Amino acid sequence: MYKRVIREAFLSSIPVMMGYIVLGIAFGMLLESKGYGVVYALLMSVFIYAGSMQFVAINLLTSGASLISAAIMTLLINARHMVYGLSMIKKFDDMGKFKPYMIFSLTDETYSLLVGSQVPEDCNQRYYLFLISFFDQCYWIIGSLIGAFVGSLMTINTTGLDFAMTALFVVIVLEQFLTSERHIYTYIGFGVSVICLLIFGSESFIIPSMIGIILSLLFMYNKGGMKDA
């Protein structure tokens, strides 16, 4: 049974593997180009494991940002986790001892897999979902280490590599939209963002958008409109 769970979880995680290894390589190369080597890549990917925030963290490290500035930036960038994390509350409550790791390892791409994947027959749901999350982090770690190692051996122009995470996120959102039967959350996200963009402008719309989306989803959750995926 365990072999089947491992196999099915691995197969489900392949789409993220293809993206995370490439993105991890980009991160590792950028990190190495700023003077931080393989050890930093390993520690950040194991204990931080927040793709877009890790790219931003490179600039925070090189600019000598204070802990307060880093904390605020981290909160703003990762605020989106509070948005889609609401839909995972019930599912994670059933994860038992794996719940703390599931919360820690919930990335945009992992969320997409957890929501979109159907647990195969004869597979334990807890182990299946846990292994998907675990495999995804392993891919990121592997990519980061490869990138840092390659970056230490050769000098490469890293211009544009920091956009790789954004590109992957856009692709996953489109894929999720095309394969999902419920689009209400996508409409809420885009709708609130567009409204805030028009009201606050491109330089200041992110925080109001996050607040608006969170309030909208909280309202739906309280009204019973959000069903467990």
Side-chain angles (χ1 to χ4, degrees), residues 7-8 14 37 45 56 93-95 97 123 125 130 144 148 151-153 156 168 175 184 188 191-192 195 209 220-221:
R7 178 179 179 275
E8 293 295 337
I14 288 178
S45 295
V56 174
D93 281 342
D94 297 331
M95 290 301 295
K97 62 183 179 180
C123 285
Q125 177 173 300
F130 164 75
S144 299
S152 67
L153 297 179
I156 299 175
L168 177 63
E175 180 66 20
I184 181 64
I188 290 175
V192 171
I195 292 173
S209 297
M220 291 187 62
Y221 183 79

mmCIF file with all atom_site columns, all heavy atoms in Angstrom, residues 7-8 14 37 45 56 93-95 97 123 125 130 144 148 151-153 156 168 175 184 188 191-192 195 209 220-221:
data_model
loop_
_atom_site.group_PDB
_atom_site.id
_atom_site.type_symbol
_atom_site.label_atom_id
_atom_site.label_alt_id
_atom_site.label_comp_id
_atom_site.label_asym_id
_atom_site.label_entity_id
_atom_site.label_seq_id
_atom_site.pdbx_PDB_ins_code
_atom_site.Cartn_x
_atom_site.Cartn_y
_atom_site.Cartn_z
_atom_site.occupancy
_atom_site.B_iso_or_equiv
_atom_site.pdbx_formal_charge
_atom_site.auth_seq_id
_atom_site.auth_comp_id
_atom_site.auth_asym_id
_atom_site.auth_atom_id
_atom_site.pdbx_PDB_model_num
ATOM 1   N N   . ARG A 1 7   ? 4.080   6.128  -5.099  1.00 0.00 ? 7   ARG A N   1
ATOM 2   C CA  . ARG A 1 7   ? 4.073   6.216  -6.570  1.00 0.00 ? 7   ARG A CA  1
ATOM 3   C C   . ARG A 1 7   ? 3.030   7.227  -7.048  1.00 0.00 ? 7   ARG A C   1
ATOM 4   O O   . ARG A 1 7   ? 3.325   8.082  -7.903  1.00 0.00 ? 7   ARG A O   1
ATOM 5   C CB  . ARG A 1 7   ? 3.791   4.842  -7.167  1.00 0.00 ? 7   ARG A CB  1
ATOM 6   C CG  . ARG A 1 7   ? 3.709   4.831  -8.692  1.00 0.00 ? 7   ARG A CG  1
ATOM 7   C CD  . ARG A 1 7   ? 3.450   3.426  -9.209  1.00 0.00 ? 7   ARG A CD  1
ATOM 8   N NE  . ARG A 1 7   ? 3.347   3.406  -10.669 1.00 0.00 ? 7   ARG A NE  1
ATOM 9   C CZ  . ARG A 1 7   ? 2.221   3.664  -11.339 1.00 0.00 ? 7   ARG A CZ  1
ATOM 10  N NH1 . ARG A 1 7   ? 1.108   3.950  -10.670 1.00 0.00 ? 7   ARG A NH1 1
ATOM 11  N NH2 . ARG A 1 7   ? 2.202   3.627  -12.654 1.00 0.00 ? 7   ARG A NH2 1
ATOM 12  N N   . GLU A 1 8   ? 1.824   7.135  -6.523  1.00 0.00 ? 8   GLU A N   1
ATOM 13  C CA  . GLU A 1 8   ? 0.747   8.022  -6.977  1.00 0.00 ? 8   GLU A CA  1
ATOM 14  C C   . GLU A 1 8   ? 1.034   9.474  -6.601  1.00 0.00 ? 8   GLU A C   1
ATOM 15  O O   . GLU A 1 8   ? 0.770   10.398 -7.389  1.00 0.00 ? 8   GLU A O   1
ATOM 16  C CB  . GLU A 1 8   ? -0.585  7.580  -6.363  1.00 0.00 ? 8   GLU A CB  1
ATOM 17  C CG  . GLU A 1 8   ? -1.080  6.228  -6.845  1.00 0.00 ? 8   GLU A CG  1
ATOM 18  C CD  . GLU A 1 8   ? -1.414  6.227  -8.333  1.00 0.00 ? 8   GLU A CD  1
ATOM 19  O OE1 . GLU A 1 8   ? -1.689  7.308  -8.889  1.00 0.00 ? 8   GLU A OE1 1
ATOM 20  O OE2 . GLU A 1 8   ? -1.401  5.135  -8.940  1.00 0.00 ? 8   GLU A OE2 1
ATOM 21  N N   . ILE A 1 14  ? 4.621   15.544 -10.405 1.00 0.00 ? 14  ILE A N   1
ATOM 22  C CA  . ILE A 1 14  ? 5.534   15.767 -11.535 1.00 0.00 ? 14  ILE A CA  1
ATOM 23  C C   . ILE A 1 14  ? 5.400   17.160 -12.149 1.00 0.00 ? 14  ILE A C   1
ATOM 24  O O   . ILE A 1 14  ? 6.417   17.801 -12.461 1.00 0.00 ? 14  ILE A O   1
ATOM 25  C CB  . ILE A 1 14  ? 5.366   14.664 -12.600 1.00 0.00 ? 14  ILE A CB  1
ATOM 26  C CG1 . ILE A 1 14  ? 5.952   13.347 -12.079 1.00 0.00 ? 14  ILE A CG1 1
ATOM 27  C CG2 . ILE A 1 14  ? 6.038   15.059 -13.903 1.00 0.00 ? 14  ILE A CG2 1
ATOM 28  C CD1 . ILE A 1 14  ? 5.786   12.176 -13.037 1.00 0.00 ? 14  ILE A CD1 1
ATOM 29  N N   . GLY A 1 37  ? 26.484  31.084 -0.894  1.00 0.00 ? 37  GLY A N   1
ATOM 30  C CA  . GLY A 1 37  ? 26.708  29.802 -1.541  1.00 0.00 ? 37  GLY A CA  1
ATOM 31  C C   . GLY A 1 37  ? 25.700  28.719 -1.258  1.00 0.00 ? 37  GLY A C   1
ATOM 32  O O   . GLY A 1 37  ? 24.555  28.972 -0.869  1.00 0.00 ? 37  GLY A O   1
ATOM 33  N N   . SER A 1 45  ? 16.031  26.998 1.638   1.00 0.00 ? 45  SER A N   1
ATOM 34  C CA  . SER A 1 45  ? 15.027  26.148 0.993   1.00 0.00 ? 45  SER A CA  1
ATOM 35  C C   . SER A 1 45  ? 14.408  25.146 1.964   1.00 0.00 ? 45  SER A C   1
ATOM 36  O O   . SER A 1 45  ? 13.277  24.700 1.768   1.00 0.00 ? 45  SER A O   1
ATOM 37  C CB  . SER A 1 45  ? 15.658  25.397 -0.186  1.00 0.00 ? 45  SER A CB  1
ATOM 38  O OG  . SER A 1 45  ? 16.058  26.303 -1.188  1.00 0.00 ? 45  SER A OG  1
ATOM 39  N N   . VAL A 1 56  ? 13.005  37.508 -3.056  1.00 0.00 ? 56  VAL A N   1
ATOM 40  C CA  . VAL A 1 56  ? 13.066  38.834 -2.428  1.00 0.00 ? 56  VAL A CA  1
ATOM 41  C C   . VAL A 1 56  ? 14.121  38.859 -1.323  1.00 0.00 ? 56  VAL A C   1
ATOM 42  O O   . VAL A 1 56  ? 14.805  39.867 -1.125  1.00 0.00 ? 56  VAL A O   1
ATOM 43  C CB  . VAL A 1 56  ? 11.687  39.221 -1.853  1.00 0.00 ? 56  VAL A CB  1
ATOM 44  C CG1 . VAL A 1 56  ? 11.768  40.536 -1.069  1.00 0.00 ? 56  VAL A CG1 1
ATOM 45  C CG2 . VAL A 1 56  ? 10.665  39.337 -2.970  1.00 0.00 ? 56  VAL A CG2 1
ATOM 46  N N   . ASP A 1 93  ? -7.273  19.724 9.091   1.00 0.00 ? 93  ASP A N   1
ATOM 47  C CA  . ASP A 1 93  ? -7.696  19.217 10.402  1.00 0.00 ? 93  ASP A CA  1
ATOM 48  C C   . ASP A 1 93  ? -7.691  17.691 10.426  1.00 0.00 ? 93  ASP A C   1
ATOM 49  O O   . ASP A 1 93  ? -7.577  17.084 11.500  1.00 0.00 ? 93  ASP A O   1
ATOM 50  C CB  . ASP A 1 93  ? -9.095  19.731 10.743  1.00 0.00 ? 93  ASP A CB  1
ATOM 51  C CG  . ASP A 1 93  ? -9.070  21.164 11.258  1.00 0.00 ? 93  ASP A CG  1
ATOM 52  O OD1 . ASP A 1 93  ? -7.991  21.627 11.671  1.00 0.00 ? 93  ASP A OD1 1
ATOM 53  O OD2 . ASP A 1 93  ? -10.132 21.818 11.240  1.00 0.00 ? 93  ASP A OD2 1
ATOM 54  N N   . ASP A 1 94  ? -7.822  17.085 9.267   1.00 0.00 ? 94  ASP A N   1
ATOM 55  C CA  . ASP A 1 94  ? -7.835  15.620 9.169   1.00 0.00 ? 94  ASP A CA  1
ATOM 56  C C   . ASP A 1 94  ? -6.447  15.030 8.959   1.00 0.00 ? 94  ASP A C   1
ATOM 57  O O   . ASP A 1 94  ? -6.319  13.812 8.786   1.00 0.00 ? 94  ASP A O   1
ATOM 58  C CB  . ASP A 1 94  ? -8.742  15.181 8.007   1.00 0.00 ? 94  ASP A CB  1
ATOM 59  C CG  . ASP A 1 94  ? -10.194 15.587 8.220   1.00 0.00 ? 94  ASP A CG  1
ATOM 60  O OD1 . ASP A 1 94  ? -10.608 15.678 9.385   1.00 0.00 ? 94  ASP A OD1 1
ATOM 61  O OD2 . ASP A 1 94  ? -10.904 15.826 7.216   1.00 0.00 ? 94  ASP A OD2 1
ATOM 62  N N   . MET A 1 95  ? -5.410  15.870 8.967   1.00 0.00 ? 95  MET A N   1
ATOM 63  C CA  . MET A 1 95  ? -4.062  15.386 8.656   1.00 0.00 ? 95  MET A CA  1
ATOM 64  C C   . MET A 1 95  ? -3.297  14.865 9.865   1.00 0.00 ? 95  MET A C   1
ATOM 65  O O   . MET A 1 95  ? -2.204  14.336 9.722   1.00 0.00 ? 95  MET A O   1
ATOM 66  C CB  . MET A 1 95  ? -3.257  16.497 7.985   1.00 0.00 ? 95  MET A CB  1
ATOM 67  C CG  . MET A 1 95  ? -3.724  16.835 6.582   1.00 0.00 ? 95  MET A CG  1
ATOM 68  S SD  . MET A 1 95  ? -3.650  15.426 5.452   1.00 0.00 ? 95  MET A SD  1
ATOM 69  C CE  . MET A 1 95  ? -1.878  15.133 5.389   1.00 0.00 ? 95  MET A CE  1
ATOM 70  N N   . LYS A 1 97  ? -0.836  14.175 12.677  1.00 0.00 ? 97  LYS A N   1
ATOM 71  C CA  . LYS A 1 97  ? 0.530   14.593 12.982  1.00 0.00 ? 97  LYS A CA  1
ATOM 72  C C   . LYS A 1 97  ? 1.194   15.347 11.837  1.00 0.00 ? 97  LYS A C   1
ATOM 73  O O   . LYS A 1 97  ? 2.216   16.015 12.027  1.00 0.00 ? 97  LYS A O   1
ATOM 74  C CB  . LYS A 1 97  ? 1.380   13.378 13.346  1.00 0.00 ? 97  LYS A CB  1
ATOM 75  C CG  . LYS A 1 97  ? 1.513   12.360 12.209  1.00 0.00 ? 97  LYS A CG  1
ATOM 76  C CD  . LYS A 1 97  ? 2.303   11.133 12.650  1.00 0.00 ? 97  LYS A CD  1
ATOM 77  C CE  . LYS A 1 97  ? 2.412   10.108 11.517  1.00 0.00 ? 97  LYS A CE  1
ATOM 78  N NZ  . LYS A 1 97  ? 3.181   8.903  11.947  1.00 0.00 ? 97  LYS A NZ  1
ATOM 79  N N   . CYS A 1 123 ? -5.482  4.349  -1.548  1.00 0.00 ? 123 CYS A N   1
ATOM 80  C CA  . CYS A 1 123 ? -4.390  5.197  -1.049  1.00 0.00 ? 123 CYS A CA  1
ATOM 81  C C   . CYS A 1 123 ? -4.854  5.948  0.190   1.00 0.00 ? 123 CYS A C   1
ATOM 82  O O   . CYS A 1 123 ? -5.954  6.509  0.213   1.00 0.00 ? 123 CYS A O   1
ATOM 83  C CB  . CYS A 1 123 ? -3.949  6.203  -2.111  1.00 0.00 ? 123 CYS A CB  1
ATOM 84  S SG  . CYS A 1 123 ? -2.959  5.490  -3.433  1.00 0.00 ? 123 CYS A SG  1
ATOM 85  N N   . GLN A 1 125 ? -5.322  8.903  2.410   1.00 0.00 ? 125 GLN A N   1
ATOM 86  C CA  . GLN A 1 125 ? -5.358  10.327 2.062   1.00 0.00 ? 125 GLN A CA  1
ATOM 87  C C   . GLN A 1 125 ? -4.285  11.123 2.781   1.00 0.00 ? 125 GLN A C   1
ATOM 88  O O   . GLN A 1 125 ? -3.645  11.998 2.182   1.00 0.00 ? 125 GLN A O   1
ATOM 89  C CB  . GLN A 1 125 ? -6.733  10.916 2.382   1.00 0.00 ? 125 GLN A CB  1
ATOM 90  C CG  . GLN A 1 125 ? -6.812  12.423 2.119   1.00 0.00 ? 125 GLN A CG  1
ATOM 91  C CD  . GLN A 1 125 ? -8.209  12.977 2.271   1.00 0.00 ? 125 GLN A CD  1
ATOM 92  O OE1 . GLN A 1 125 ? -9.119  12.552 1.574   1.00 0.00 ? 125 GLN A OE1 1
ATOM 93  N NE2 . GLN A 1 125 ? -8.389  13.917 3.187   1.00 0.00 ? 125 GLN A NE2 1
ATOM 94  N N   . PHE A 1 130 ? 0.406   14.378 2.224   1.00 0.00 ? 130 PHE A N   1
ATOM 95  C CA  . PHE A 1 130 ? 1.693   14.713 2.838   1.00 0.00 ? 130 PHE A CA  1
ATOM 96  C C   . PHE A 1 130 ? 2.840   14.511 1.859   1.00 0.00 ? 130 PHE A C   1
ATOM 97  O O   . PHE A 1 130 ? 3.742   15.362 1.743   1.00 0.00 ? 130 PHE A O   1
ATOM 98  C CB  . PHE A 1 130 ? 1.926   13.864 4.086   1.00 0.00 ? 130 PHE A CB  1
ATOM 99  C CG  . PHE A 1 130 ? 3.355   13.862 4.563   1.00 0.00 ? 130 PHE A CG  1
ATOM 100 C CD1 . PHE A 1 130 ? 3.891   14.957 5.228   1.00 0.00 ? 130 PHE A CD1 1
ATOM 101 C CD2 . PHE A 1 130 ? 4.178   12.766 4.323   1.00 0.00 ? 130 PHE A CD2 1
ATOM 102 C CE1 . PHE A 1 130 ? 5.215   14.975 5.645   1.00 0.00 ? 130 PHE A CE1 1
ATOM 103 C CE2 . PHE A 1 130 ? 5.501   12.764 4.737   1.00 0.00 ? 130 PHE A CE2 1
ATOM 104 C CZ  . PHE A 1 130 ? 6.018   13.873 5.402   1.00 0.00 ? 130 PHE A CZ  1
ATOM 105 N N   . SER A 1 144 ? 17.527  24.323 -5.952  1.00 0.00 ? 144 SER A N   1
ATOM 106 C CA  . SER A 1 144 ? 18.326  25.379 -5.323  1.00 0.00 ? 144 SER A CA  1
ATOM 107 C C   . SER A 1 144 ? 19.795  24.976 -5.199  1.00 0.00 ? 144 SER A C   1
ATOM 108 O O   . SER A 1 144 ? 20.697  25.774 -5.478  1.00 0.00 ? 144 SER A O   1
ATOM 109 C CB  . SER A 1 144 ? 17.761  25.700 -3.930  1.00 0.00 ? 144 SER A CB  1
ATOM 110 O OG  . SER A 1 144 ? 16.432  26.155 -4.007  1.00 0.00 ? 144 SER A OG  1
ATOM 111 N N   . ALA A 1 148 ? 22.925  26.786 -7.079  1.00 0.00 ? 148 ALA A N   1
ATOM 112 C CA  . ALA A 1 148 ? 24.031  27.362 -6.321  1.00 0.00 ? 148 ALA A CA  1
ATOM 113 C C   . ALA A 1 148 ? 25.357  26.736 -6.730  1.00 0.00 ? 148 ALA A C   1
ATOM 114 O O   . ALA A 1 148 ? 26.378  27.422 -6.849  1.00 0.00 ? 148 ALA A O   1
ATOM 115 C CB  . ALA A 1 148 ? 23.790  27.174 -4.826  1.00 0.00 ? 148 ALA A CB  1
ATOM 116 N N   . GLY A 1 151 ? 26.231  27.958 -10.232 1.00 0.00 ? 151 GLY A N   1
ATOM 117 C CA  . GLY A 1 151 ? 26.630  29.350 -10.130 1.00 0.00 ? 151 GLY A CA  1
ATOM 118 C C   . GLY A 1 151 ? 28.023  29.538 -9.562  1.00 0.00 ? 151 GLY A C   1
ATOM 119 O O   . GLY A 1 151 ? 28.705  30.515 -9.880  1.00 0.00 ? 151 GLY A O   1
ATOM 120 N N   . SER A 1 152 ? 28.459  28.595 -8.733  1.00 0.00 ? 152 SER A N   1
ATOM 121 C CA  . SER A 1 152 ? 29.793  28.698 -8.154  1.00 0.00 ? 152 SER A CA  1
ATOM 122 C C   . SER A 1 152 ? 30.885  28.281 -9.148  1.00 0.00 ? 152 SER A C   1
ATOM 123 O O   . SER A 1 152 ? 32.056  28.591 -8.950  1.00 0.00 ? 152 SER A O   1
ATOM 124 C CB  . SER A 1 152 ? 29.887  27.817 -6.907  1.00 0.00 ? 152 SER A CB  1
ATOM 125 O OG  . SER A 1 152 ? 29.791  26.434 -7.245  1.00 0.00 ? 152 SER A OG  1
ATOM 126 N N   . LEU A 1 153 ? 30.484  27.583 -10.220 1.00 0.00 ? 153 LEU A N   1
ATOM 127 C CA  . LEU A 1 153 ? 31.459  27.097 -11.189 1.00 0.00 ? 153 LEU A CA  1
ATOM 128 C C   . LEU A 1 153 ? 31.616  28.016 -12.396 1.00 0.00 ? 153 LEU A C   1
ATOM 129 O O   . LEU A 1 153 ? 32.644  27.990 -13.059 1.00 0.00 ? 153 LEU A O   1
ATOM 130 C CB  . LEU A 1 153 ? 31.041  25.703 -11.684 1.00 0.00 ? 153 LEU A CB  1
ATOM 131 C CG  . LEU A 1 153 ? 31.006  24.586 -10.633 1.00 0.00 ? 153 LEU A CG  1
ATOM 132 C CD1 . LEU A 1 153 ? 30.543  23.292 -11.272 1.00 0.00 ? 153 LEU A CD1 1
ATOM 133 C CD2 . LEU A 1 153 ? 32.376  24.406 -9.983  1.00 0.00 ? 153 LEU A CD2 1
ATOM 134 N N   . ILE A 1 156 ? 27.286  33.585 -14.954 1.00 0.00 ? 156 ILE A N   1
ATOM 135 C CA  . ILE A 1 156 ? 26.146  33.598 -15.864 1.00 0.00 ? 156 ILE A CA  1
ATOM 136 C C   . ILE A 1 156 ? 25.355  34.890 -15.653 1.00 0.00 ? 156 ILE A C   1
ATOM 137 O O   . ILE A 1 156 ? 25.175  35.344 -14.522 1.00 0.00 ? 156 ILE A O   1
ATOM 138 C CB  . ILE A 1 156 ? 25.231  32.384 -15.625 1.00 0.00 ? 156 ILE A CB  1
ATOM 139 C CG1 . ILE A 1 156 ? 26.004  31.078 -15.862 1.00 0.00 ? 156 ILE A CG1 1
ATOM 140 C CG2 . ILE A 1 156 ? 24.004  32.434 -16.527 1.00 0.00 ? 156 ILE A CG2 1
ATOM 141 C CD1 . ILE A 1 156 ? 25.211  29.839 -15.538 1.00 0.00 ? 156 ILE A CD1 1
ATOM 142 N N   . LEU A 1 168 ? 5.627   31.026 -13.549 1.00 0.00 ? 168 LEU A N   1
ATOM 143 C CA  . LEU A 1 168 ? 5.064   29.733 -13.165 1.00 0.00 ? 168 LEU A CA  1
ATOM 144 C C   . LEU A 1 168 ? 3.711   29.914 -12.493 1.00 0.00 ? 168 LEU A C   1
ATOM 145 O O   . LEU A 1 168 ? 2.762   29.165 -12.756 1.00 0.00 ? 168 LEU A O   1
ATOM 146 C CB  . LEU A 1 168 ? 6.019   28.986 -12.235 1.00 0.00 ? 168 LEU A CB  1
ATOM 147 C CG  . LEU A 1 168 ? 5.500   27.643 -11.698 1.00 0.00 ? 168 LEU A CG  1
ATOM 148 C CD1 . LEU A 1 168 ? 5.271   26.660 -12.832 1.00 0.00 ? 168 LEU A CD1 1
ATOM 149 C CD2 . LEU A 1 168 ? 6.464   27.058 -10.672 1.00 0.00 ? 168 LEU A CD2 1
ATOM 150 N N   . GLU A 1 175 ? -4.068  27.085 -15.604 1.00 0.00 ? 175 GLU A N   1
ATOM 151 C CA  . GLU A 1 175 ? -4.345  25.653 -15.657 1.00 0.00 ? 175 GLU A CA  1
ATOM 152 C C   . GLU A 1 175 ? -5.452  25.282 -14.671 1.00 0.00 ? 175 GLU A C   1
ATOM 153 O O   . GLU A 1 175 ? -6.356  24.506 -14.978 1.00 0.00 ? 175 GLU A O   1
ATOM 154 C CB  . GLU A 1 175 ? -3.080  24.857 -15.353 1.00 0.00 ? 175 GLU A CB  1
ATOM 155 C CG  . GLU A 1 175 ? -3.258  23.345 -15.371 1.00 0.00 ? 175 GLU A CG  1
ATOM 156 C CD  . GLU A 1 175 ? -3.582  22.804 -16.752 1.00 0.00 ? 175 GLU A CD  1
ATOM 157 O OE1 . GLU A 1 175 ? -3.298  23.501 -17.749 1.00 0.00 ? 175 GLU A OE1 1
ATOM 158 O OE2 . GLU A 1 175 ? -4.136  21.692 -16.836 1.00 0.00 ? 175 GLU A OE2 1
ATOM 159 N N   . ILE A 1 184 ? -15.572 30.786 -8.972  1.00 0.00 ? 184 ILE A N   1
ATOM 160 C CA  . ILE A 1 184 ? -15.969 31.936 -8.171  1.00 0.00 ? 184 ILE A CA  1
ATOM 161 C C   . ILE A 1 184 ? -14.785 32.590 -7.465  1.00 0.00 ? 184 ILE A C   1
ATOM 162 O O   . ILE A 1 184 ? -14.662 33.810 -7.397  1.00 0.00 ? 184 ILE A O   1
ATOM 163 C CB  . ILE A 1 184 ? -17.051 31.534 -7.130  1.00 0.00 ? 184 ILE A CB  1
ATOM 164 C CG1 . ILE A 1 184 ? -17.472 32.756 -6.321  1.00 0.00 ? 184 ILE A CG1 1
ATOM 165 C CG2 . ILE A 1 184 ? -16.541 30.422 -6.224  1.00 0.00 ? 184 ILE A CG2 1
ATOM 166 C CD1 . ILE A 1 184 ? -18.135 33.831 -7.127  1.00 0.00 ? 184 ILE A CD1 1
ATOM 167 N N   . ILE A 1 188 ? -13.352 36.377 -7.877  1.00 0.00 ? 188 ILE A N   1
ATOM 168 C CA  . ILE A 1 188 ? -13.197 37.273 -6.731  1.00 0.00 ? 188 ILE A CA  1
ATOM 169 C C   . ILE A 1 188 ? -11.794 37.884 -6.709  1.00 0.00 ? 188 ILE A C   1
ATOM 170 O O   . ILE A 1 188 ? -11.624 39.091 -6.547  1.00 0.00 ? 188 ILE A O   1
ATOM 171 C CB  . ILE A 1 188 ? -13.460 36.524 -5.406  1.00 0.00 ? 188 ILE A CB  1
ATOM 172 C CG1 . ILE A 1 188 ? -14.940 36.187 -5.268  1.00 0.00 ? 188 ILE A CG1 1
ATOM 173 C CG2 . ILE A 1 188 ? -12.996 37.352 -4.205  1.00 0.00 ? 188 ILE A CG2 1
ATOM 174 C CD1 . ILE A 1 188 ? -15.270 35.350 -4.052  1.00 0.00 ? 188 ILE A CD1 1
ATOM 175 N N   . GLY A 1 191 ? -11.382 40.191 -9.769  1.00 0.00 ? 191 GLY A N   1
ATOM 176 C CA  . GLY A 1 191 ? -12.300 41.320 -9.682  1.00 0.00 ? 191 GLY A CA  1
ATOM 177 C C   . GLY A 1 191 ? -11.864 42.343 -8.646  1.00 0.00 ? 191 GLY A C   1
ATOM 178 O O   . GLY A 1 191 ? -11.796 43.552 -8.928  1.00 0.00 ? 191 GLY A O   1
ATOM 179 N N   . VAL A 1 192 ? -11.546 41.855 -7.451  1.00 0.00 ? 192 VAL A N   1
ATOM 180 C CA  . VAL A 1 192 ? -11.106 42.757 -6.386  1.00 0.00 ? 192 VAL A CA  1
ATOM 181 C C   . VAL A 1 192 ? -9.799  43.444 -6.771  1.00 0.00 ? 192 VAL A C   1
ATOM 182 O O   . VAL A 1 192 ? -9.605  44.646 -6.535  1.00 0.00 ? 192 VAL A O   1
ATOM 183 C CB  . VAL A 1 192 ? -10.938 41.985 -5.059  1.00 0.00 ? 192 VAL A CB  1
ATOM 184 C CG1 . VAL A 1 192 ? -10.276 42.870 -3.994  1.00 0.00 ? 192 VAL A CG1 1
ATOM 185 C CG2 . VAL A 1 192 ? -12.281 41.479 -4.561  1.00 0.00 ? 192 VAL A CG2 1
ATOM 186 N N   . ILE A 1 195 ? -10.450 46.229 -9.375  1.00 0.00 ? 195 ILE A N   1
ATOM 187 C CA  . ILE A 1 195 ? -11.095 47.386 -8.742  1.00 0.00 ? 195 ILE A CA  1
ATOM 188 C C   . ILE A 1 195 ? -10.081 48.197 -7.942  1.00 0.00 ? 195 ILE A C   1
ATOM 189 O O   . ILE A 1 195 ? -10.020 49.435 -8.037  1.00 0.00 ? 195 ILE A O   1
ATOM 190 C CB  . ILE A 1 195 ? -12.255 46.928 -7.836  1.00 0.00 ? 195 ILE A CB  1
ATOM 191 C CG1 . ILE A 1 195 ? -13.387 46.357 -8.693  1.00 0.00 ? 195 ILE A CG1 1
ATOM 192 C CG2 . ILE A 1 195 ? -12.767 48.094 -6.986  1.00 0.00 ? 195 ILE A CG2 1
ATOM 193 C CD1 . ILE A 1 195 ? -14.498 45.719 -7.880  1.00 0.00 ? 195 ILE A CD1 1
ATOM 194 N N   . SER A 1 209 ? -5.911  45.070 -2.252  1.00 0.00 ? 209 SER A N   1
ATOM 195 C CA  . SER A 1 209 ? -6.427  43.879 -2.929  1.00 0.00 ? 209 SER A CA  1
ATOM 196 C C   . SER A 1 209 ? -6.428  42.685 -1.988  1.00 0.00 ? 209 SER A C   1
ATOM 197 O O   . SER A 1 209 ? -7.419  41.931 -1.913  1.00 0.00 ? 209 SER A O   1
ATOM 198 C CB  . SER A 1 209 ? -5.582  43.559 -4.167  1.00 0.00 ? 209 SER A CB  1
ATOM 199 O OG  . SER A 1 209 ? -5.652  44.583 -5.117  1.00 0.00 ? 209 SER A OG  1
ATOM 200 N N   . MET A 1 220 ? -17.743 34.720 2.562   1.00 0.00 ? 220 MET A N   1
ATOM 201 C CA  . MET A 1 220 ? -18.263 33.509 1.949   1.00 0.00 ? 220 MET A CA  1
ATOM 202 C C   . MET A 1 220 ? -18.151 32.317 2.879   1.00 0.00 ? 220 MET A C   1
ATOM 203 O O   . MET A 1 220 ? -19.044 31.474 2.965   1.00 0.00 ? 220 MET A O   1
ATOM 204 C CB  . MET A 1 220 ? -17.526 33.222 0.640   1.00 0.00 ? 220 MET A CB  1
ATOM 205 C CG  . MET A 1 220 ? -17.810 34.196 -0.481  1.00 0.00 ? 220 MET A CG  1
ATOM 206 S SD  . MET A 1 220 ? -17.049 33.662 -2.032  1.00 0.00 ? 220 MET A SD  1
ATOM 207 C CE  . MET A 1 220 ? -17.896 32.103 -2.321  1.00 0.00 ? 220 MET A CE  1
ATOM 208 N N   . TYR A 1 221 ? -17.031 32.260 3.605   1.00 0.00 ? 221 TYR A N   1
ATOM 209 C CA  . TYR A 1 221 ? -16.815 31.145 4.529   1.00 0.00 ? 221 TYR A CA  1
ATOM 210 C C   . TYR A 1 221 ? -17.856 31.153 5.650   1.00 0.00 ? 221 TYR A C   1
ATOM 211 O O   . TYR A 1 221 ? -18.421 30.122 6.006   1.00 0.00 ? 221 TYR A O   1
ATOM 212 C CB  . TYR A 1 221 ? -15.407 31.239 5.116   1.00 0.00 ? 221 TYR A CB  1
ATOM 213 C CG  . TYR A 1 221 ? -15.060 30.098 6.040   1.00 0.00 ? 221 TYR A CG  1
ATOM 214 C CD1 . TYR A 1 221 ? -14.681 28.854 5.533   1.00 0.00 ? 221 TYR A CD1 1
ATOM 215 C CD2 . TYR A 1 221 ? -15.088 30.270 7.425   1.00 0.00 ? 221 TYR A CD2 1
ATOM 216 C CE1 . TYR A 1 221 ? -14.361 27.810 6.380   1.00 0.00 ? 221 TYR A CE1 1
ATOM 217 C CE2 . TYR A 1 221 ? -14.777 29.234 8.273   1.00 0.00 ? 221 TYR A CE2 1
ATOM 218 C CZ  . TYR A 1 221 ? -14.404 27.996 7.749   1.00 0.00 ? 221 TYR A CZ  1
ATOM 219 O OH  . TYR A 1 221 ? -14.107 26.965 8.592   1.00 0.00 ? 221 TYR A OH  1
#
